[in-house]
Amino acid sequence: MGQLRPPGTPHGAGQMAHGFRIEAHTHDDGQLVYAASGLLATTTELGTWVAPANRLTWTPPGFAHSHRFYGTTDVRLVVIPAELCAELAATPGVFSVNPLLREALLSLTSRQDDRSDAYRRLRAVVIDEITDTPDQSLHLPEPRDDRLRAVTEILRADPSQTTTLAELGRQTGASARTLTRLFRDELGMSFHRWRTVLRVHHALVHLGAGASVTGTAFACGWSNPASFIEAFTAIVGETPGRYQSGLSRIRSGSADQRGDFPVSAGHLSVGGRDGSHHSGGHG
C-alpha cells in the first residue's frame, strides 16, 4: 500500500476500508485525524474516543495510540508541529467540528503548497478552532483494575446485553458495591453511564451503516426507540435521525474534496479486539 501521509508532508488524505485498524504507535509531533465520512475510533491508555464526521481526534506528541475505522472512511490527517502543540490540549481528546473547521481541514488536506504562508495561516485557523476544552461526551475511559477490566470486556463483547452489575460481579468475583466504587473512582462515571456511552459508540456505527433508528435502538440494547433517542441526543448533541441526515450531506460534500494521496497505515491509528485488519505502521 501507499502512505496516508507521504514522508515529509504535514498532511494526508485517503480512503480506509471498514474494519481496518492501525496498531499502537507514537509521533514526535501532534496529530489531528478527521473522518470526513465514516467513523474513526482512537484508543490510548486513557481510553477510547469515537469521532463521527462532526468530531475530530487530537493526539499530542508522545502518546501511544491506535485507530480503527468503521464504514469506508474518508480520512484527513493534519500534523501539528511540536513547537505549536503547547496551544492545544496536553492529553488526547475529541473536538466538535463546526463548518469553518471542516472546510479548513478539507482545504488543508487537499492542498499541494504545504510550505506556503497561506498553508500556515490556514493551519493556524484550525488550531484556533480547537483551543477550547475537548468534548468528553464520546470518551470511554479504560479501567486499570483487573476486576473492572473483566466487567468492561464482557460489556464490550455484547453491548446490548442487559446483565446487571450484580450479575457481572458474580462472573468476575467482585461485589456490586465494589464495582460501583471502581467505576466511580477509576473511570469517573457510573456503571450505567459507561455502558450507555459504549452503546452510543456502537449506535454510531449502526447508523453510519444505514440502519434505521428503531433497528439501532434494539440492536444496541435499548428497550424502546424513545429511550435510545433520549440517551443518544444527550451524548452526541443531536437526535439519531438528525445525525443520520447530516451524514448524507457530509458524504456528498467530502466527495468533492477528496485528497489525492494513496492510503495505508503508514502514517495513521482504533484499538480493536477482534483480530481484523492489523497494521504495524505509524499513523
Side-chain angles (χ1 to χ4, degrees), residues 218-232:
F218 292 129
C220 294
W222 278 275
S223 59
N224 59 76
S227 58
F228 165 56
I229 292 169
E230 181 180 2
F232 185 95

Side-chain angles (χ1 to χ4, degrees), residues 15-48:
Q15 299 287 305
M16 287 293 188
H18 172 70
F20 190 85
R21 74 180 182 190
I22 302 171
E23 299 295 350
H25 60 282
T26 62
H27 300 286
D28 293 332
D29 295 310
Q31 181 174 272
L32 295 168
V33 183
Y34 173 57
S37 65
L39 185 74
L40 161 71
T42 298
T43 297
T44 75
E45 63 182 10
L46 300 179
T48 298

Side-chain angles (χ1 to χ4, degrees), residues 203-281:
L204 288 165
V205 175
H206 281 263
L207 293 170
S212 69
V213 171
T214 298
T216 297
F218 292 129
C220 294
W222 278 275
S223 59
N224 59 76
S227 58
F228 165 56
I229 292 169
E230 181 180 2
F232 185 95
T233 304
I235 290 174
V236 179
E238 58 186 341
T239 66
R242 187 177 181 85
Y243 169 76
Q244 206 166 38
S245 296
L247 290 180
S248 299
R249 294 192 300 272
I250 286 169
R251 284 169 182 150
S252 61
S254 64
D256 296 331
Q257 299 192 53
R258 290 260 166 84
D260 296 327
F261 299 116
V263 179
S264 88
H267 287 83
L268 251 180
S269 295
V270 156
R273 291 175 166 78
D274 62 5
S276 64
H277 298 301
H278 287 69
S279 170

Side-chain angles (χ1 to χ4, degrees), residues 153-210:
E153 288 295 332
I154 291 171
L155 294 173
R156 286 182 187 277
D158 180 14
S160 67
Q161 65 182 281
T162 57
T163 314
T164 66
L165 193 57
E167 291 168 338
L168 289 166
R170 286 193 287 273
Q171 294 181 50
T172 57
S175 69
R177 182 176 180 179
T178 295
L179 291 174
T180 297
R181 175 180 56 80
L182 288 171
F183 268 99
R184 182 185 65 249
D185 293 348
E186 277 204 17
L187 305 183
M189 60 179 63
S190 68
F191 162 69
H192 175 74
R193 172 70 178 183
W194 195 95
R195 182 159 66 178
T196 298
V197 175
L198 174 67
R199 287 175 171 177
V200 168
H201 280 194
H202 283 259
L204 288 165
V205 175
H206 281 263
L207 293 170

Side-chain angles (χ1 to χ4, degrees), residues 83-131:
E83 61 270 19
L84 300 179
C85 291
E87 302 179 44
L88 299 174
T91 55
V94 168
F95 293 86
S96 295
V97 175
N98 59 33
L100 173 60
L101 179 55
R102 174 179 167 79
E103 292 306 313
L105 289 165
L106 293 177
S107 179
L108 269 181
T109 54
S110 301
R111 298 175 72 105
Q112 302 298 322
D113 59 337
D114 53 68
R115 298 183 184 277
S116 68
D117 289 340
Y119 184 92
R120 286 188 287 271
R121 287 194 297 269
L122 195 54
R123 184 177 61 195
V125 170
V126 170
I127 293 173
D128 285 345
E129 289 296 307
I130 59 171
T131 52

